[in-house]
Amino acid sequence: MVEAYWLGGPLLDRVPARLLAAHLGERFAHRAGPHWSDLEALANLGGRAHHNFHVFAVYPWVGMLRAGYSEEPLRVLDSCRVRWGSVTAVTGGATVTVRSRPLSWDGYALALAAAIEEQVRSGLDAGEPEPAGGLRVGDRVALHWSWVCDVLDRRRLARLQHDTMTQLRLV
């Protein structure tokens, strides 16, 4: 279930919308105040028990974007969501260069922008004799903040892409 929370997949289909809404209500209704019904509606309209749903819908950052604050909320949303990228360089140590698509905000909706390159920490290098935990140019990886969390095979990459785009459209 942990992998499904981070990367998506069919296990999330087993969490009924009403159960997700009830869980969110128990955890966040008192914090969301009068906006709780918005969160409940999103859960019932296709929200998933996925990290990116929490980032996009539960946390206050999208609301801050809508209120006119953009730079810091967009940075936090983009960093905290689980995103995918492709390793383009292994520079030694625990640092790699990854090409990924950051979030953009047009004043109305979040979307994925054109790909950029960024330096990130491997996160996979604990005790590994190879630089960057053995990552290689071309590896597809999952990222969270400035860390590589995992190497993605085709199936897991497709799950993450699908669930991320579904939650972006919903929010």
Side-chain angles (χ1 to χ4, degrees), residues 147-158:
W147 290 86
V148 172
C149 304
D150 209 348
V151 177
L152 301 172
D153 60 23
R154 207 175 289 154
R155 178 182 52 85
R156 294 164 76 216
L157 173 62

Side-chain angles (χ1 to χ4, degrees), residues 57 61 94-95 116 122 171:
W61 302 105
T95 303
I116 62 166
S122 163
V171 174

Side-chain angles (χ1 to χ4, degrees), residues 29 32-44:
H35 298 289
W36 159 242
S37 60
D38 297 340
L39 186 55
E40 183 179 32
L42 285 175
N44 284 313

Side-chain angles (χ1 to χ4, degrees), residues 28 62 79 82 170:
F28 301 106
V62 171
S79 296
V82 179
L170 178 68

Side-chain angles (χ1 to χ4, degrees), residues 129-141:
E130 295 183 67
L135 287 172
R136 306 272 186 258
V137 171
D139 282 347
R140 300 300 295 240
V141 294

Side-chain angles (χ1 to χ4, degrees), residues 1-9 11 50 150 155-156 159:
M1 194 59 163
V2 172
E3 181 173 318
Y5 174 74
W6 284 99
L7 300 179
L11 278 178
H50 189 280
D150 209 348
R155 178 182 52 85
R156 294 164 76 216
R159 285 181 184 169

